[in-house]
Amino acid sequence: MAAKVLAIVLAGGEGKRLMPLTTDRAKPAVPFGGMYRMVDFVLSNLANAGYLKIVVLTQYKSHSLDRHITKTWRMSTLLGNYVTPVPAQQRRGPWWFAGSADAIYQSFNLINDEQPDYVIVFGADHIYRMDPRQMVEDHIASGAAVTVAGIRQPLSMADQFGVIEVGEDGKRIRAFREKPTDAVGLPDAPDEIYASMGNYVFTTRALCEAVERDAEDKTSKHDMGGSIIPMLVERGEANVYDFRDNEVPGSTDRDRGYWRDVGTLDSFYDAHMDLINVHPVFNMYNFDWPIYTEQLPWPPAKFVHQWGERVGRAVGSMVSPGVVISGSLVENSIVSPKVRVHSWAHVEGSVLMEGVEIGRHAVVRRAILDKNVFVPEGVEIGVDLEKDRQRYTVSDNGIVVIGKGQKVEP
């Protein structure tokens, strides 16, 4: 008989480093890749693997996220399947979630209702494909209390990640440290480390016992990665799962093993640029392992006018339904639904979210424009960064970011 598995997605993140994109929404609800939301990637991985009992724990400015999940992620109730957002309910007292471990502690009723053998606990704000069935199978075979997904990264980058240090067997975790400067390389690759992906598989009893114990510790940060995993590591009950071993149907040699933590504006921008190469670093066109999202009745994209330089065209770009590119040029960009780019405008290396409008003769370079931003005729964005810094957010790498509905001055 197949093991009973409940999936818990942690989606309460505030995403401060993504401001202004998270001013009005939770980080997992931030649009990505034209038509998607960040949360769609983890939910698609779980659904493709056949794990169809999924709860999404939300907290920070969750309306947009709750609405998206409720409208989009509908399963067959006849078979007892569901994807449901669960906000903080103050079940344990008059307080909100104090951390990801506390979120699970306050949501024990969800585990008690399902009585699963194993619990998948995944984050909601990473861009990747993964078949979690293989990780669950590895966990069951190991007999560990928890299995932590690790992705190999250069040893020189250890101070940027939560680092998993393993014993000589390459499986048992002997230390779990946050951004160490003296990390030790892997037994089979001294120049590499395991970075935690924030994905865990627990034996249910071990998870409940650890979270209850953590709840009693008033000095704890009540965090899965910072509190629960180190507790189980200390007891010798934690294993690592090498993401390199995960085989996703339809993956290419180029995008196999892709995973990005889009926690900053620059990493968010870079992950978008990974989508649009001729042979993309992350391939959205893998129909064997699709990424699902809401499908609204938008018409096909339209490219109009062909008169002199007034030619509607897009090169090296992803263009979503409902877009009209009218006598203008879009290069190396991601264009979301219902965007309008008017005549003689030039958009280059940018991310345009839903409902953005670019006026005639305007120039937009290396920018992220959130929903419903209107760029007036002749305005230049990303051309003079010193001028842009006085009005908008500019990232460390010089990406201009304009928030949802923010007014752009002529």
mmCIF file of all heavy atoms in Angstrom, residues 158-202:
data_model
loop_
_atom_site.group_PDB
_atom_site.id
_atom_site.type_symbol
_atom_site.label_atom_id
_atom_site.label_comp_id
_atom_site.label_asym_id
_atom_site.label_seq_id
_atom_site.Cartn_x
_atom_site.Cartn_y
_atom_site.Cartn_z
ATOM 1 N N ALA A 158 29.873 29.434 -0.026
ATOM 2 C CA ALA A 158 29.240 28.888 1.180
ATOM 3 C C ALA A 158 28.652 29.966 2.078
ATOM 4 O O ALA A 158 27.627 29.746 2.732
ATOM 5 C CB ALA A 158 30.257 28.054 1.968
ATOM 6 N N ASP A 159 29.262 31.153 2.077
ATOM 7 C CA ASP A 159 28.774 32.217 2.967
ATOM 8 C C ASP A 159 27.492 32.869 2.464
ATOM 9 O O ASP A 159 26.998 33.830 3.064
ATOM 10 C CB ASP A 159 29.853 33.275 3.189
ATOM 11 C CG ASP A 159 30.307 33.946 1.897
ATOM 12 O OD1 ASP A 159 29.839 33.541 0.800
ATOM 13 O OD2 ASP A 159 31.124 34.875 1.976
ATOM 14 N N GLN A 160 26.929 32.340 1.366
ATOM 15 C CA GLN A 160 25.674 32.868 0.843
ATOM 16 C C GLN A 160 24.479 31.948 1.108
ATOM 17 O O GLN A 160 23.354 32.284 0.759
ATOM 18 C CB GLN A 160 25.794 33.094 -0.667
ATOM 19 C CG GLN A 160 26.889 34.060 -1.069
ATOM 20 C CD GLN A 160 26.986 34.226 -2.569
ATOM 21 O OE1 GLN A 160 25.986 34.166 -3.289
ATOM 22 N NE2 GLN A 160 28.197 34.433 -3.069
ATOM 23 N N PHE A 161 24.731 30.776 1.745
ATOM 24 C CA PHE A 161 23.681 29.772 1.870
ATOM 25 C C PHE A 161 23.631 29.186 3.276
ATOM 26 O O PHE A 161 24.569 29.326 4.067
ATOM 27 C CB PHE A 161 23.933 28.613 0.886
ATOM 28 C CG PHE A 161 23.946 28.987 -0.556
ATOM 29 C CD1 PHE A 161 25.139 29.126 -1.244
ATOM 30 C CD2 PHE A 161 22.759 29.201 -1.236
ATOM 31 C CE1 PHE A 161 25.152 29.464 -2.585
ATOM 32 C CE2 PHE A 161 22.760 29.541 -2.579
ATOM 33 C CZ PHE A 161 23.956 29.676 -3.252
ATOM 34 N N GLY A 162 22.516 28.503 3.552
ATOM 35 C CA GLY A 162 22.492 27.569 4.653
ATOM 36 C C GLY A 162 23.197 26.313 4.177
ATOM 37 O O GLY A 162 22.799 25.707 3.182
ATOM 38 N N VAL A 163 24.274 25.923 4.847
ATOM 39 C CA VAL A 163 25.159 24.871 4.352
ATOM 40 C C VAL A 163 24.938 23.569 5.118
ATOM 41 O O VAL A 163 24.895 23.550 6.347
ATOM 42 C CB VAL A 163 26.634 25.310 4.449
ATOM 43 C CG1 VAL A 163 27.573 24.151 4.111
ATOM 44 C CG2 VAL A 163 26.894 26.486 3.513
ATOM 45 N N ILE A 164 24.802 22.484 4.355
ATOM 46 C CA ILE A 164 24.649 21.135 4.905
ATOM 47 C C ILE A 164 26.004 20.451 4.848
ATOM 48 O O ILE A 164 26.556 20.257 3.760
ATOM 49 C CB ILE A 164 23.629 20.330 4.081
ATOM 50 C CG1 ILE A 164 22.274 21.043 4.036
ATOM 51 C CG2 ILE A 164 23.493 18.916 4.611
ATOM 52 C CD1 ILE A 164 21.348 20.526 2.942
ATOM 53 N N GLU A 165 26.542 20.092 6.004
ATOM 54 C CA GLU A 165 27.804 19.360 6.051
ATOM 55 C C GLU A 165 27.500 17.906 6.386
ATOM 56 O O GLU A 165 26.738 17.624 7.321
ATOM 57 C CB GLU A 165 28.747 19.982 7.078
ATOM 58 C CG GLU A 165 29.173 21.404 6.690
ATOM 59 C CD GLU A 165 30.176 22.006 7.661
ATOM 60 O OE1 GLU A 165 30.519 21.347 8.664
ATOM 61 O OE2 GLU A 165 30.616 23.144 7.408
ATOM 62 N N VAL A 166 28.078 16.992 5.617
ATOM 63 C CA VAL A 166 27.742 15.571 5.736
ATOM 64 C C VAL A 166 28.936 14.762 6.226
ATOM 65 O O VAL A 166 30.092 15.197 6.144
ATOM 66 C CB VAL A 166 27.247 15.004 4.389
ATOM 67 C CG1 VAL A 166 25.942 15.657 3.981
ATOM 68 C CG2 VAL A 166 28.303 15.190 3.298
ATOM 69 N N GLY A 167 28.639 13.562 6.737
ATOM 70 C CA GLY A 167 29.672 12.643 7.171
ATOM 71 C C GLY A 167 30.326 11.949 5.990
ATOM 72 O O GLY A 167 30.022 12.229 4.824
ATOM 73 N N GLU A 168 31.210 10.997 6.300
ATOM 74 C CA GLU A 168 31.964 10.307 5.258
ATOM 75 C C GLU A 168 31.070 9.501 4.319
ATOM 76 O O GLU A 168 31.431 9.231 3.175
ATOM 77 C CB GLU A 168 33.019 9.396 5.898
ATOM 78 C CG GLU A 168 34.167 10.159 6.543
ATOM 79 C CD GLU A 168 34.896 11.065 5.565
ATOM 80 O OE1 GLU A 168 35.144 10.618 4.425
ATOM 81 O OE2 GLU A 168 35.191 12.220 5.924
ATOM 82 N N ASP A 169 29.880 9.115 4.808
ATOM 83 C CA ASP A 169 28.984 8.340 3.938
ATOM 84 C C ASP A 169 28.296 9.211 2.899
ATOM 85 O O ASP A 169 27.621 8.708 1.993
ATOM 86 C CB ASP A 169 27.941 7.592 4.771
ATOM 87 C CG ASP A 169 26.978 8.529 5.506
ATOM 88 O OD1 ASP A 169 27.191 9.761 5.488
ATOM 89 O OD2 ASP A 169 26.029 8.011 6.120
ATOM 90 N N GLY A 170 28.448 10.545 3.017
ATOM 91 C CA GLY A 170 27.857 11.465 2.055
ATOM 92 C C GLY A 170 26.371 11.653 2.200
ATOM 93 O O GLY A 170 25.764 12.399 1.421
ATOM 94 N N LYS A 171 25.740 11.045 3.200
ATOM 95 C CA LYS A 171 24.286 11.111 3.380
ATOM 96 C C LYS A 171 23.880 11.714 4.722
ATOM 97 O O LYS A 171 23.036 12.608 4.772
ATOM 98 C CB LYS A 171 23.688 9.704 3.266
ATOM 99 C CG LYS A 171 23.785 9.099 1.884
ATOM 100 C CD LYS A 171 22.882 9.779 0.873
ATOM 101 C CE LYS A 171 21.412 9.502 1.145
ATOM 102 N NZ LYS A 171 20.543 10.105 0.106
ATOM 103 N N ARG A 172 24.449 11.202 5.806
ATOM 104 C CA ARG A 172 24.057 11.660 7.133
ATOM 105 C C ARG A 172 24.578 13.076 7.369
ATOM 106 O O ARG A 172 25.748 13.373 7.136
ATOM 107 C CB ARG A 172 24.603 10.717 8.207
ATOM 108 C CG ARG A 172 24.052 10.956 9.603
ATOM 109 C CD ARG A 172 22.592 10.604 9.718
ATOM 110 N NE ARG A 172 22.313 9.190 9.493
ATOM 111 C CZ ARG A 172 21.111 8.650 9.567
ATOM 112 N NH1 ARG A 172 20.051 9.401 9.836
ATOM 113 N NH2 ARG A 172 20.940 7.365 9.351
ATOM 114 N N ILE A 173 23.702 13.963 7.814
ATOM 115 C CA ILE A 173 24.092 15.352 8.059
ATOM 116 C C ILE A 173 24.754 15.453 9.436
ATOM 117 O O ILE A 173 24.178 15.046 10.443
ATOM 118 C CB ILE A 173 22.879 16.284 7.981
ATOM 119 C CG1 ILE A 173 22.203 16.168 6.597
ATOM 120 C CG2 ILE A 173 23.292 17.734 8.230
ATOM 121 C CD1 ILE A 173 20.917 16.974 6.470
ATOM 122 N N ARG A 174 25.968 16.024 9.459
ATOM 123 C CA ARG A 174 26.652 16.193 10.742
ATOM 124 C C ARG A 174 26.615 17.631 11.239
ATOM 125 O O ARG A 174 26.858 17.895 12.411
ATOM 126 C CB ARG A 174 28.096 15.721 10.651
ATOM 127 C CG ARG A 174 28.978 16.483 9.690
ATOM 128 C CD ARG A 174 30.400 15.933 9.716
ATOM 129 N NE ARG A 174 31.293 16.656 8.820
ATOM 130 C CZ ARG A 174 31.915 17.791 9.125
ATOM 131 N NH1 ARG A 174 31.719 18.366 10.317
ATOM 132 N NH2 ARG A 174 32.708 18.381 8.261
ATOM 133 N N ALA A 175 26.296 18.573 10.348
ATOM 134 C CA ALA A 175 26.158 19.972 10.761
ATOM 135 C C ALA A 175 25.292 20.705 9.743
ATOM 136 O O ALA A 175 25.306 20.387 8.550
ATOM 137 C CB ALA A 175 27.523 20.645 10.878
ATOM 138 N N PHE A 176 24.539 21.668 10.253
ATOM 139 C CA PHE A 176 23.675 22.491 9.406
ATOM 140 C C PHE A 176 23.911 23.931 9.848
ATOM 141 O O PHE A 176 23.492 24.348 10.919
ATOM 142 C CB PHE A 176 22.210 22.097 9.606
ATOM 143 C CG PHE A 176 21.257 22.710 8.613
ATOM 144 C CD1 PHE A 176 20.939 22.052 7.429
ATOM 145 C CD2 PHE A 176 20.681 23.946 8.854
ATOM 146 C CE1 PHE A 176 20.046 22.610 6.515
ATOM 147 C CE2 PHE A 176 19.792 24.512 7.953
ATOM 148 C CZ PHE A 176 19.478 23.847 6.774
ATOM 149 N N ARG A 177 24.643 24.698 9.021
ATOM 150 C CA ARG A 177 25.095 26.024 9.447
ATOM 151 C C ARG A 177 24.651 27.105 8.467
ATOM 152 O O ARG A 177 24.584 26.885 7.263
ATOM 153 C CB ARG A 177 26.612 26.045 9.583
ATOM 154 C CG ARG A 177 27.142 25.035 10.620
ATOM 155 C CD ARG A 177 28.566 25.367 11.004
ATOM 156 N NE ARG A 177 29.498 25.099 9.914
ATOM 157 C CZ ARG A 177 30.699 25.673 9.808
ATOM 158 N NH1 ARG A 177 31.080 26.563 10.716
ATOM 159 N NH2 ARG A 177 31.503 25.356 8.818
ATOM 160 N N GLU A 178 24.373 28.267 8.999
ATOM 161 C CA GLU A 178 23.884 29.385 8.203
ATOM 162 C C GLU A 178 25.042 30.272 7.768
ATOM 163 O O GLU A 178 25.743 30.863 8.590
ATOM 164 C CB GLU A 178 22.872 30.208 9.001
ATOM 165 C CG GLU A 178 22.134 31.269 8.193
ATOM 166 C CD GLU A 178 21.221 30.679 7.133
ATOM 167 O OE1 GLU A 178 20.717 29.561 7.349
ATOM 168 O OE2 GLU A 178 21.016 31.333 6.091
ATOM 169 N N LYS A 179 25.302 30.325 6.471
ATOM 170 C CA LYS A 179 26.283 31.203 5.848
ATOM 171 C C LYS A 179 27.655 31.149 6.530
ATOM 172 O O LYS A 179 28.201 32.179 6.936
ATOM 173 C CB LYS A 179 25.758 32.645 5.815
ATOM 174 C CG LYS A 179 24.470 32.804 5.019
ATOM 175 C CD LYS A 179 23.977 34.234 4.983
ATOM 176 C CE LYS A 179 22.695 34.341 4.150
ATOM 177 N NZ LYS A 179 22.161 35.720 4.103
ATOM 178 N N PRO A 180 28.248 29.957 6.670
ATOM 179 C CA PRO A 180 29.549 29.854 7.332
ATOM 180 C C PRO A 180 30.685 30.379 6.452
ATOM 181 O O PRO A 180 30.619 30.315 5.223
ATOM 182 C CB PRO A 180 29.699 28.352 7.568
ATOM 183 C CG PRO A 180 28.928 27.738 6.439
ATOM 184 C CD PRO A 180 27.749 28.653 6.215
ATOM 185 N N THR A 181 31.725 30.887 7.094
ATOM 186 C CA THR A 181 32.912 31.334 6.356
ATOM 187 C C THR A 181 34.010 30.278 6.379
ATOM 188 O O THR A 181 35.054 30.453 5.737
ATOM 189 C CB THR A 181 33.455 32.636 6.973
ATOM 190 O OG1 THR A 181 33.729 32.415 8.366
ATOM 191 C CG2 THR A 181 32.434 33.766 6.831
ATOM 192 N N ASP A 182 33.792 29.188 7.122
ATOM 193 C CA ASP A 182 34.798 28.126 7.226
ATOM 194 C C ASP A 182 34.197 26.767 6.873
ATOM 195 O O ASP A 182 34.508 25.751 7.500
ATOM 196 C CB ASP A 182 35.376 28.085 8.644
ATOM 197 C CG ASP A 182 34.300 27.861 9.711
ATOM 198 O OD1 ASP A 182 33.098 28.001 9.378
ATOM 199 O OD2 ASP A 182 34.657 27.551 10.856
ATOM 200 N N ALA A 183 33.331 26.754 5.864
ATOM 201 C CA ALA A 183 32.659 25.513 5.482
ATOM 202 C C ALA A 183 33.659 24.477 4.958
ATOM 203 O O ALA A 183 34.720 24.822 4.432
ATOM 204 C CB ALA A 183 31.603 25.797 4.413
ATOM 205 N N VAL A 184 33.288 23.219 5.112
ATOM 206 C CA VAL A 184 34.106 22.100 4.657
ATOM 207 C C VAL A 184 33.474 21.518 3.393
ATOM 208 O O VAL A 184 32.252 21.362 3.303
ATOM 209 C CB VAL A 184 34.200 21.020 5.757
ATOM 210 C CG1 VAL A 184 35.027 19.831 5.270
ATOM 211 C CG2 VAL A 184 34.805 21.609 7.028
ATOM 212 N N GLY A 185 34.298 21.178 2.414
ATOM 213 C CA GLY A 185 33.801 20.615 1.160
ATOM 214 C C GLY A 185 33.242 19.216 1.337
ATOM 215 O O GLY A 185 33.405 18.574 2.389
ATOM 216 N N LEU A 186 32.587 18.713 0.308
ATOM 217 C CA LEU A 186 31.956 17.400 0.355
ATOM 218 C C LEU A 186 32.991 16.283 0.238
ATOM 219 O O LEU A 186 34.047 16.464 -0.388
ATOM 220 C CB LEU A 186 30.938 17.277 -0.783
ATOM 221 C CG LEU A 186 29.789 18.286 -0.773
ATOM 222 C CD1 LEU A 186 28.920 18.111 -2.015
ATOM 223 C CD2 LEU A 186 28.952 18.115 0.481
ATOM 224 N N PRO A 187 32.709 15.117 0.821
ATOM 225 C CA PRO A 187 33.656 14.004 0.737
ATOM 226 C C PRO A 187 34.023 13.627 -0.694
ATOM 227 O O PRO A 187 35.177 13.299 -0.980
ATOM 228 C CB PRO A 187 32.900 12.862 1.436
ATOM 229 C CG PRO A 187 31.962 13.537 2.375
ATOM 230 C CD PRO A 187 31.549 14.807 1.677
ATOM 231 N N ASP A 188 33.057 13.702 -1.623
ATOM 232 C CA ASP A 188 33.341 13.315 -3.008
ATOM 233 C C ASP A 188 33.666 14.502 -3.906
ATOM 234 O O ASP A 188 33.924 14.336 -5.101
ATOM 235 C CB ASP A 188 32.161 12.543 -3.599
ATOM 236 C CG ASP A 188 30.904 13.395 -3.700
ATOM 237 O OD1 ASP A 188 30.863 14.476 -3.068
ATOM 238 O OD2 ASP A 188 29.950 12.988 -4.392
ATOM 239 N N ALA A 189 33.632 15.726 -3.324
ATOM 240 C CA ALA A 189 33.922 16.938 -4.096
ATOM 241 C C ALA A 189 34.369 18.033 -3.128
ATOM 242 O O ALA A 189 33.555 18.859 -2.703
ATOM 243 C CB ALA A 189 32.697 17.382 -4.894
ATOM 244 N N PRO A 190 35.656 18.073 -2.764
ATOM 245 C CA PRO A 190 36.138 19.032 -1.755
ATOM 246 C C PRO A 190 35.920 20.498 -2.104
ATOM 247 O O PRO A 190 35.957 21.350 -1.216
ATOM 248 C CB PRO A 190 37.637 18.696 -1.660
ATOM 249 C CG PRO A 190 37.754 17.297 -2.150
ATOM 250 C CD PRO A 190 36.705 17.150 -3.211
ATOM 251 N N ASP A 191 35.676 20.791 -3.388
ATOM 252 C CA ASP A 191 35.475 22.179 -3.802
ATOM 253 C C ASP A 191 33.998 22.549 -3.876
ATOM 254 O O ASP A 191 33.643 23.615 -4.375
ATOM 255 C CB ASP A 191 36.129 22.433 -5.154
ATOM 256 C CG ASP A 191 35.591 21.526 -6.261
ATOM 257 O OD1 ASP A 191 34.986 20.476 -5.926
ATOM 258 O OD2 ASP A 191 35.767 21.865 -7.448
ATOM 259 N N GLU A 192 33.106 21.671 -3.371
ATOM 260 C CA GLU A 192 31.665 21.925 -3.398
ATOM 261 C C GLU A 192 31.066 21.782 -2.006
ATOM 262 O O GLU A 192 31.618 21.110 -1.135
ATOM 263 C CB GLU A 192 30.953 20.949 -4.341
ATOM 264 C CG GLU A 192 31.312 21.111 -5.810
ATOM 265 C CD GLU A 192 30.586 20.106 -6.696
ATOM 266 O OE1 GLU A 192 30.131 19.059 -6.187
ATOM 267 O OE2 GLU A 192 30.475 20.379 -7.902
ATOM 268 N N ILE A 193 29.918 22.428 -1.822
ATOM 269 C CA ILE A 193 29.127 22.273 -0.603
ATOM 270 C C ILE A 193 27.681 21.956 -0.998
ATOM 271 O O ILE A 193 27.283 22.159 -2.155
ATOM 272 C CB ILE A 193 29.164 23.524 0.299
ATOM 273 C CG1 ILE A 193 28.802 24.808 -0.507
ATOM 274 C CG2 ILE A 193 30.528 23.668 0.952
ATOM 275 C CD1 ILE A 193 27.417 25.253 -0.429
ATOM 276 N N TYR A 194 26.919 21.464 -0.043
ATOM 277 C CA TYR A 194 25.482 21.350 -0.228
ATOM 278 C C TYR A 194 24.825 22.606 0.332
ATOM 279 O O TYR A 194 24.974 22.912 1.527
ATOM 280 C CB TYR A 194 24.914 20.151 0.524
ATOM 281 C CG TYR A 194 25.060 18.816 -0.152
ATOM 282 C CD1 TYR A 194 25.585 17.734 0.547
ATOM 283 C CD2 TYR A 194 24.645 18.624 -1.467
ATOM 284 C CE1 TYR A 194 25.712 16.488 -0.054
ATOM 285 C CE2 TYR A 194 24.766 17.388 -2.077
ATOM 286 C CZ TYR A 194 25.303 16.325 -1.368
ATOM 287 O OH TYR A 194 25.426 15.098 -1.958
ATOM 288 N N ALA A 195 24.094 23.332 -0.507
ATOM 289 C CA ALA A 195 23.269 24.443 -0.039
ATOM 290 C C ALA A 195 21.855 23.932 0.179
ATOM 291 O O ALA A 195 21.323 23.191 -0.656
ATOM 292 C CB ALA A 195 23.264 25.577 -1.057
ATOM 293 N N SER A 196 21.257 24.294 1.290
ATOM 294 C CA SER A 196 19.892 23.850 1.558
ATOM 295 C C SER A 196 18.923 24.532 0.607
ATOM 296 O O SER A 196 18.972 25.745 0.408
ATOM 297 C CB SER A 196 19.498 24.170 3.000
ATOM 298 O OG SER A 196 18.119 23.895 3.206
ATOM 299 N N MET A 197 18.026 23.745 0.023
ATOM 300 C CA MET A 197 17.010 24.268 -0.882
ATOM 301 C C MET A 197 15.734 24.676 -0.143
ATOM 302 O O MET A 197 14.783 25.167 -0.764
ATOM 303 C CB MET A 197 16.670 23.219 -1.934
ATOM 304 C CG MET A 197 17.838 22.853 -2.831
ATOM 305 S SD MET A 197 17.504 21.413 -3.890
ATOM 306 C CE MET A 197 16.132 22.006 -4.878
ATOM 307 N N GLY A 198 15.698 24.445 1.175
ATOM 308 C CA GLY A 198 14.492 24.764 1.930
ATOM 309 C C GLY A 198 13.369 23.780 1.713
ATOM 310 O O GLY A 198 12.210 24.075 1.995
ATOM 311 N N ASN A 199 13.704 22.577 1.221
ATOM 312 C CA ASN A 199 12.724 21.512 0.988
ATOM 313 C C ASN A 199 13.034 20.339 1.901
ATOM 314 O O ASN A 199 14.181 19.872 1.939
ATOM 315 C CB ASN A 199 12.763 21.042 -0.468
ATOM 316 C CG ASN A 199 12.217 22.070 -1.435
ATOM 317 O OD1 ASN A 199 11.692 23.091 -1.025
ATOM 318 N ND2 ASN A 199 12.329 21.799 -2.718
ATOM 319 N N TYR A 200 12.012 19.851 2.622
ATOM 320 C CA TYR A 200 12.218 18.792 3.603
ATOM 321 C C TYR A 200 11.140 17.719 3.459
ATOM 322 O O TYR A 200 9.998 18.007 3.117
ATOM 323 C CB TYR A 200 12.140 19.353 5.030
ATOM 324 C CG TYR A 200 12.870 20.664 5.227
ATOM 325 C CD1 TYR A 200 12.153 21.861 5.406
ATOM 326 C CD2 TYR A 200 14.254 20.720 5.219
ATOM 327 C CE1 TYR A 200 12.810 23.066 5.584
ATOM 328 C CE2 TYR A 200 14.926 21.925 5.390
ATOM 329 C CZ TYR A 200 14.197 23.097 5.570
ATOM 330 O OH TYR A 200 14.854 24.291 5.731
ATOM 331 N N VAL A 201 11.537 16.475 3.755
ATOM 332 C CA VAL A 201 10.578 15.381 3.912
ATOM 333 C C VAL A 201 10.751 14.830 5.324
ATOM 334 O O VAL A 201 11.862 14.467 5.719
ATOM 335 C CB VAL A 201 10.791 14.273 2.869
ATOM 336 C CG1 VAL A 201 9.821 13.123 3.134
ATOM 337 C CG2 VAL A 201 10.597 14.813 1.451
ATOM 338 N N PHE A 202 9.655 14.780 6.075
ATOM 339 C CA PHE A 202 9.676 14.317 7.459
ATOM 340 C C PHE A 202 8.868 13.039 7.619
ATOM 341 O O PHE A 202 7.823 12.863 6.971
ATOM 342 C CB PHE A 202 9.036 15.357 8.390
ATOM 343 C CG PHE A 202 9.841 16.599 8.615
ATOM 344 C CD1 PHE A 202 9.688 17.695 7.786
ATOM 345 C CD2 PHE A 202 10.739 16.688 9.669
ATOM 346 C CE1 PHE A 202 10.403 18.857 7.998
ATOM 347 C CE2 PHE A 202 11.462 17.839 9.890
ATOM 348 C CZ PHE A 202 11.304 18.928 9.054
#
